[in-house]
């Protein structure tokens, strides 16, 4: 028992000295000791269980932190033009997790993660394919008469369409591939504290959750519908026009609902900014007129060139 008592004093001396049986003004006599002994021994045993549990978690947290660092080092050697899994996705990856959850008394070194790091390229490829499929699942259903309806719904090229926009709890619209690394989707939040298990504790410490850990992504239907209107205003087909097509064309839009500046100028915006900034006008159910500017910069000039104005309620 003296070992456990020493552990307790080193770990949480306050809990010991403030225990009602210890914190007594009376001198400790043999009689008093015999009376309190069993209760105190029980208390010390319970605290030892608590201490060991905390130590076990700390070992796991430190292994998670090591895995996270090794993943970040690996990421630094990659071309970051494509999305990558979150740190939590990596710590849960079987090859990493098997090392992380080894018994706490087994030492774990950097080199123990080498086999896991070697499988990262393949894991990342599979993760991307899986994430794309998850996103395709929430896209609007294809028309009944689509010639290849059974397979076409999961065609990842649908994600590249200008009209493919996802919603987020932060009330922002998120396009693809940003939806794969949008911070809200992988950062740890208070709502994740509902469960008190090892996994939740690890996510809290990493301040990160795996992508898709919470609710499924949802398609931002109003934003998609809105973008469709913008694409059509440029004379393009929303069924085939990609975000890259829109970026290359780079049409400018002017929102006639946004208040003009003090000098009477109106804000001219790129297509994706219009989607983010002016979508709330939808809720006002006001008649909006959008002028694709295609390189122009003043309202008068725009009106002359406004070949695809959209009226939309
Ligand atoms: Zn968000
Ligand atoms: Zn506006």
């Amino acid at each position: 028992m003296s070992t456990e008592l020493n552990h307790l004093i080193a770990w949480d001396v306050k809990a010991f000295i403030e225990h009602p049986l210890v914190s007594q003004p009376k001198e400790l006599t043999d009689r008093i000791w015999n009376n309190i002994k069993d209760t105190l021994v029980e208390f010390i045993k319970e605290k030892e269980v608590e201490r060991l549990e905390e130590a076990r978690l700390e070992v796991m947290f430190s292994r998670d932190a090591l895995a996270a660092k090794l993943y970040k080092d690996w990421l630094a050697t990659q071309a970051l033009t494509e999305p990558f899994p979150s740190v939590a996705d990596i710590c849960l990856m079987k090859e990493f997790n098997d090392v992380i959850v080894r018994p706490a008394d087994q030492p774990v070194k950097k080199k123990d993660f080498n086999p896991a790091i070697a499988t990262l390229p393949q894991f990342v490829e599979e993760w991307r394919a899986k994430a794309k499929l998850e996103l395709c699942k929430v896209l609007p259903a294809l028309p009944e008469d689509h010639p290849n309806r059974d397979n076409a719904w999961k065609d990842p090229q649908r994600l590249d369409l200008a009209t493919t926009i996802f919603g987020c709890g932060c009330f922002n619209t998120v396009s693809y591939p940003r939806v794969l690394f949008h911070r809200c989707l992988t950062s740890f939040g208070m709502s994740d504290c509902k469960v008190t298990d090892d996994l939740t504790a690890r996510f809290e410490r990493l301040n990160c959750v795996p992508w898709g850990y919470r609710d499924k992504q949802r398609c931002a239907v109003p934003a998609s519908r809105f973008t469709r209107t913008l694409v059509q205003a440029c004379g393009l087909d929303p069924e085939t026009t990609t975000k890259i097509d829109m970026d290359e064309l780079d049409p400018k839009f002017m929102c006639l609902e946004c208040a003009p500046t003090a000098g009477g100028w109106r804000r001219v915006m790129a297509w994706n900014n219009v989607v983010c900034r002016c979508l709330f006008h939808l809720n006002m159910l006001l008649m909006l007129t959008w002028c694709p500017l295609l390189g122009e910069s003043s309202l008068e000039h725009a009106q002359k060139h406004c070949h695809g104005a959209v009226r939309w309620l």
Side-chain angles (χ1 to χ4, degrees), residues 29 66 74 159 204 238 260:
T29 61
L66 177 58
W74 180 81
L159 298 170
E204 186 174 11

Side-chain angles (χ1 to χ4, degrees), residues 139-147 152-153 155-164 224-225 227-233 235-243 245-246:
L139 293 182
L142 291 167
E144 292 284 346
D145 58 352
H146 193 284
W153 70 268
D155 179 354
Q157 285 185 358
R158 292 183 78 202
L159 298 170
D160 295 320
L161 293 179
T163 53
T164 296
S224 300
R225 212 182 290 145
T227 310
R228 201 178 173 84
T229 323
L230 300 181
V231 172
Q232 283 168 334
L236 298 172
D237 179 1
E239 301 301 330
T240 54
T241 302
T242 63
K243 292 179 195 76
D245 294 335
M246 284 297 273

Side-chain angles (χ1 to χ4, degrees), residues 277-288:
R277 186 183 168 89
C278 290
L279 191 61
F280 67 92
H281 285 155
L282 272 174
N283 300 325
M284 297 170 69
L285 293 175
L286 291 170
M287 186 81 83
L288 301 184

Side-chain angles (χ1 to χ4, degrees), residues 5 12 15 32 35 45 48 59 63 82 93 113 119 144 147 150 153 172-173 175 183 189 201 221 236 239 274 295 313:
L5 179 58
D12 189 1
I32 294 177
N35 281 341
K45 277 186 189 161
E48 178 68 356
V59 167
R63 291 173 185 172
E82 293 264 1
M93 193 181 142
F113 287 107
T119 63
E144 292 284 346
D150 287 350
W153 70 268
N172 280 320
T173 54
S175 59
R183 197 166 152 66
V221 177
L236 298 172
E239 301 301 330
V274 180
L313 189 62

Side-chain angles (χ1 to χ4, degrees), residues 21-22 64 92 96 105 122 142 244 274:
L21 295 179
V22 178
D64 271 334
L92 282 204
F96 276 93
D105 55 1
Q122 194 196 339
L142 291 167
I244 293 176
V274 180

